[in-house]
Amino acid sequence: MSNSFIPTSSIWATQVAGTSDENLLPIARALTRLATSHRDRGAVLDSLSLYQLAVAGLERAPATSEAHVEAAATAWVNQGIAWTLLETEPALRAGLLCFEEGIRLRESRLDRSDPWSAYNLAGAWIQRGDVLRRLPEGRGSDAILESYRAASDLIRDQVDHPDRRFARRLALARVHLADTLAQAGRLAQAARAASQSLDAARAAESCAGSELALVAAKAHLLLALHGPEEARIESAEAGLALLADRAQEERAARLRTLLFRVAANGYARHHPHFLAEFIDEQLALTRDPGTRAALRPWAAHALRSAIAGLTSSALGQVGRGGMERTLATLRSLRERAATLLDPAASPGKLLPSP
């Protein structure tokens, strides 16, 4: 804890101790805002002390109003977020306990006629699911599915709410649900949840260039992997389009590489005559050198796969129609492969073939 913080913490502790129960609510809210400011500046340990002061003050006073309960829930949930930033397993477990206390408090006063009551509770459920995914025993568990389903169910009827944060939160809950279902092998349900996430993302705003682009691109990736076979290339290309201007961000670059691989393999298998054009277009759109370097081995891999498939097809077409087109496509792909990468290079396996 920083030396400069110690007097501040002591002052607030003294103020909480000297405040009457009926006047604690504004003090606790101020503490929570100050704690979040510390957390967002990277002073996580300092923020935890302030959140704990806010919670202690609110627990001392009887919860006589919805505002009091929501203030306590907000302090608990934000404290949970601070714990998760420390990234150790004990800190993640502490964060999980905070989120579950926030859920308990918000459920105790849930007013389904008030959209914001449901919105705040959904946020706590999403945080619970996120931290469970980072714990060893949580991966693929029903508790994760429960979290994202609960969040989605709470706000699914608010997708057209004039405040677009509702649709954004719904899109986030559903894409995490889709990802968890896919990891559990429930692929049809995963594809359906990913499609619903895209519906919510479109309701929220135009996804391109926004923070929602990563959510929508992940939904497109899940559909490209687990959706209808005939729509997989289209889904992958839609995801790539959303990330065209975000390649320098680490998460966006990784998603872009995975989407490129799915689309390139799809073209190699089903439409090899369009593969070279797709590769040239994507490499031209990729301005970030690191992302471009990551795409090139997968491009070469798809080209080799297409060439092998067309070579086998050409042998079966000897003396029959269609031979000239097959040979022309083969020449084009071989020329592109020769200029792209050393044919001996191999990208390895990152994903199962779609």
Side-chain angles (χ1 to χ4, degrees):
M1 186 178 293
S2 63
N3 291 334
S4 62
F5 173 75
I6 294 173
T8 305
S9 179
S10 300
I11 291 169
W12 277 104
T14 301
Q15 187 163 357
V16 168
T19 301
S20 61
D21 289 357
E22 61 270 18
N23 294 322
L24 274 172
L25 182 56
I27 299 294
R29 283 172 167 167
L31 274 167
T32 299
R33 289 194 297 270
L34 180 61
T36 302
S37 174
H38 278 276
R39 185 194 71 198
D40 293 347
R41 295 200 311 269
V44 177
L45 295 179
D46 291 354
S47 76
L48 285 169
S49 295
L50 290 169
Y51 286 130
Q52 288 160 7
L53 275 174
V55 167
L58 288 166
E59 287 182 341
R60 194 187 86 198
T64 56
S65 68
E66 289 184 11
H68 185 113
V69 172
E70 179 53 33
T74 298
W76 276 110
V77 171
N78 278 284
Q79 182 185 168
I81 294 170
W83 278 115
T84 64
L85 293 175
L86 296 177
E87 297 186 343
T88 65
E89 186 173 326
L92 293 175
R93 294 190 185 283
L96 176 60
L97 292 174
C98 291
F99 297 139
E100 290 182 339
E101 180 60 15
I103 289 169
R104 185 191 70 79
L105 288 167
R106 285 175 173 164
E107 283 188 330
S108 72
R109 291 298 184 102
L110 177 62
D111 178 3
R112 291 193 176 272
S113 66
D114 176 12
W116 289 105
S117 179
Y119 177 88
N120 291 332
L121 177 55
W125 277 112
I126 290 172
Q127 293 290 350
R128 178 181 185 262
D130 289 351
V131 76
L132 281 169
R133 293 174 76 180
R134 296 167 65 182
L135 289 169
E137 73 279 9
R139 297 185 186 117
S141 72
D142 288 342
I144 300 176
L145 292 173
E146 174 196 34
S147 297
Y148 296 135
R149 280 199 176 110
S152 179
D153 289 346
L154 280 161
I155 53 175
R156 65 185 175 190
D157 295 332
Q158 300 296 332
V159 68
D160 295 322
H161 192 282
D163 191 310
R164 296 295 82 199
R165 283 178 291 179
F166 282 83
R168 286 197 291 272
R169 182 158 288 182
L170 182 59
L172 182 64
R174 283 178 167 168
V175 80
H176 286 336
L177 175 61
D179 199 18
T180 307
L181 287 165
Q183 290 175 15
R186 297 153 74 169
L187 304 184
Q189 293 179 53
R192 186 161 56 251
S195 179
Q196 291 170 341
S197 176
L198 284 174
D199 290 341
R202 294 185 188 107
E205 58 188 276
S206 173
C207 296
S210 73
E211 288 304 313
L212 205 53
L214 291 175
V215 173
K218 182 65 176 286
H220 278 299
L221 175 62
L222 290 164
L223 283 171
L225 288 169
H226 310 301
E229 179 76 28
E230 65 275 10
R232 292 184 179 185
I233 293 175
E234 182 181 353
S235 294
E237 289 201 275
L240 285 166
L242 287 170
L243 300 177
D245 297 326
R246 304 172 67 94
Q248 291 183 326
E249 300 173 31
E250 183 178 348
R251 285 176 60 206
R254 182 174 181 274
L255 268 176
R256 195 151 192 267
T257 301
L258 299 178
L259 286 160
F260 178 86
R261 182 198 172 180
V262 172
N265 283 349
Y267 275 117
R269 182 177 302 150
H270 301 294
H271 307 288
H273 47 292
F274 291 134
L275 177 59
E277 179 185 345
F278 167 76
I279 289 171
D280 288 342
E281 178 184 87
Q282 289 299 318
L283 291 180
L285 288 170
T286 306
R287 294 186 289 273
D288 177 60
T291 305
R292 190 182 181 90
L295 298 185
R296 290 172 70 87
W298 289 116
H301 177 75
L303 285 165
R304 289 195 296 270
S305 176
I307 289 167
L310 283 172
T311 300
S312 175
S313 176
L315 291 173
Q317 287 178 342
V318 172
R320 297 192 315 211
M323 183 73 169
E324 288 187 7
R325 183 187 183 191
T326 300
L327 291 176
T329 303
L330 262 174
R331 283 193 296 272
S332 170
L333 293 177
R334 283 175 175 151
E335 289 170 3
R336 191 65 189 90
T339 62
L340 185 67
L341 198 70
D342 179 356
S346 173
K349 261 198 170 223
L350 295 181
L351 282 174
S353 296

